[in-house]
Amino acid sequence: MGRVLKYIEERKSRYGALHMTLIDPDKVGDLSVISKLCQVIDEAGSDAILLGGSTGVVEFQLDEVIKEIRSYTSIPVILFPGSVAGLSRLADAVFFLSVLNSVDPYFITGAQAQAAIAIKRHYSNLEIIPTAYILMGDGGAAAYVSCARPIPYSRPELALAYALAAEFMGMKNVYLEAGSGASKPIPPEVISRVRSYTTVLLTVGGGIKSYEAAYVAAKAGADIVVTGTVIEHQPDKLKEIVRGVRDGGRERLRAR
Ligand code: 1GP
């Protein structure tokens, strides 16, 4: 097991669930905001930074952002690529994504094959975390860009079907994504259905903006709760969101 996965597992057994903060380098604009973002992230107790976005991300920009992040925080930086351009040698790991419910094979295996040799040759320091990316609800820009057919919230059995398929295919992480800025996060019934039949790492994100939503997601079974928009628009709320993840995680530890 790689260093980052070990870190995730260790925090999972200590806290029940982790929080990760998504930073979209294309939305950062001026690098000078990174110091403030890192301060907010560290003070809130977020466990790692996810770095990526659906559009407009290029490697040199990722490099600059990661260098800046490294001078302010020591938590892991994990790439969350929206395309083959979303890689950087300076990160710790990459969520090697396959959009399982895309209708275009490019987003399931094509982009991955396109990136694979380059990763082997030039990014061998990156820890690869094989991740099934499953778009749900309105799916946001991620669903649009990756030609996904988002799963309706009313059909949790379909989310389970894809998550189980991912586990059987050997994926290490299943990411249930509602889309950045989604009006409704993934419902707890969907999370708990997937959780009760799978043992794979379960990541949930999209539209989580409050203590309650974070608490509910972690309690229902998310191992990793991701928020992005909050730090852009309401950084003061990050602390309560991480607290929600910790409280929900603690409930799960207790119930074991
Ligand atoms: C998007 O799941 C992440 O990829 C985060 O979504 O921006 O809505 O928090 P938000």
Side-chain angles (χ1 to χ4, degrees), residues 106-182:
Y106 177 76
F107 295 99
I108 307 170
T109 55
Q112 297 72 8
Q114 213 171 36
I117 293 175
I119 291 177
K120 188 79 185 165
R121 282 199 186 131
H122 305 293
Y123 300 82
S124 53
N125 64 304
L126 281 181
E127 180 178 335
I128 310 282
I129 302 177
T131 298
Y133 198 42
I134 301 170
L135 281 306
M136 298 199 67
D138 66 39
Y144 183 85
V145 169
S146 62
C147 303
R149 216 160 37 127
I151 298 169
Y153 289 158
S154 57
R155 306 306 300 266
E157 75 279 13
L158 294 179
L160 172 61
Y162 276 93
L164 264 181
E167 183 168 321
F168 295 161
M169 288 191 280
M171 300 283 196
K172 295 278 183 278
N173 180 27
V174 164
Y175 192 141
L176 298 179
E177 172 70 271
S180 188

Side-chain angles (χ1 to χ4, degrees), residues 3-256:
R3 214 167 46 86
V4 174
L5 266 182
K6 258 192 214 143
Y7 169 88
I8 291 171
E9 288 300 334
E10 189 268 317
R11 294 215 155 201
K12 202 177 104 179
S13 35
R14 194 185 327 162
Y15 300 124
L18 289 81
H19 175 268
M20 293 192 185
T21 304
L22 173 67
I23 296 180
D24 183 340
D26 199 41
K27 292 188 187 151
V28 162
D30 195 331
L31 278 182
S32 63
V33 305
I34 299 284
S35 63
K36 178 74 193 145
L37 290 181
C38 291
Q39 192 189 338
V40 172
I41 289 167
D42 271 349
E43 278 175 15
S46 186
D47 300 288
I49 291 173
L50 279 189
L51 197 61
S54 299
T55 52
V57 178
V58 287
E59 181 165 355
F60 79 86
Q61 180 193 25
L62 286 167
D63 289 349
E64 282 177 356
V65 171
I66 296 172
K67 273 186 210 152
E68 199 66 9
I69 290 172
R70 298 285 194 213
S71 45
Y72 296 103
T73 179
S74 56
I75 59 173
V77 176
I78 304 170
L79 298 169
F80 181 49
S83 77
V84 292
L87 296 168
S88 162
R89 278 187 261 202
L90 305 183
D92 297 294
V94 55
F95 278 176
F96 194 74
L97 301 174
S98 173
V99 186
L100 283 202
N101 58 335
S102 175
V103 293
D104 183 341
Y106 177 76
F107 295 99
I108 307 170
T109 55
Q112 297 72 8
Q114 213 171 36
I117 293 175
I119 291 177
K120 188 79 185 165
R121 282 199 186 131
H122 305 293
Y123 300 82
S124 53
N125 64 304
L126 281 181
E127 180 178 335
I128 310 282
I129 302 177
T131 298
Y133 198 42
I134 301 170
L135 281 306
M136 298 199 67
D138 66 39
Y144 183 85
V145 169
S146 62
C147 303
R149 216 160 37 127
I151 298 169
Y153 289 158
S154 57
R155 306 306 300 266
E157 75 279 13
L158 294 179
L160 172 61
Y162 276 93
L164 264 181
E167 183 168 321
F168 295 161
M169 288 191 280
M171 300 283 196
K172 295 278 183 278
N173 180 27
V174 164
Y175 192 141
L176 298 179
E177 172 70 271
S180 188
S183 53
K184 255 189 90 191
I186 312 264
E189 307 77 61
V190 174
I191 301 171
S192 57
R193 177 79 73 97
V194 172
R195 176 75 297 156
S196 51
Y197 291 96
T198 59
T199 55
V200 71
L201 200 62
L202 183 57
T203 301
V204 171
I208 295 170
K209 299 188 208 74
S210 63
Y211 168 91
E212 191 59 26
Y215 170 78
V216 160
K219 188 169 177 247
D223 298 308
I224 300 172
V225 174
V226 179
T227 65
T229 306
V230 163
I231 199 162
E232 291 165 20
H233 301 301
Q234 299 164 286
D236 296 345
K237 288 193 94 176
L238 197 69
K239 217 176 243 175
E240 70 175 74
I241 285 170
V242 177
R243 197 158 41 81
V245 174
R246 295 283 187 253
D247 289 350
R250 207 170 303 124
E251 292 278 328
R252 258 177 76 204
L253 287 178
R254 235 181 261 144
R256 260 180 216 161

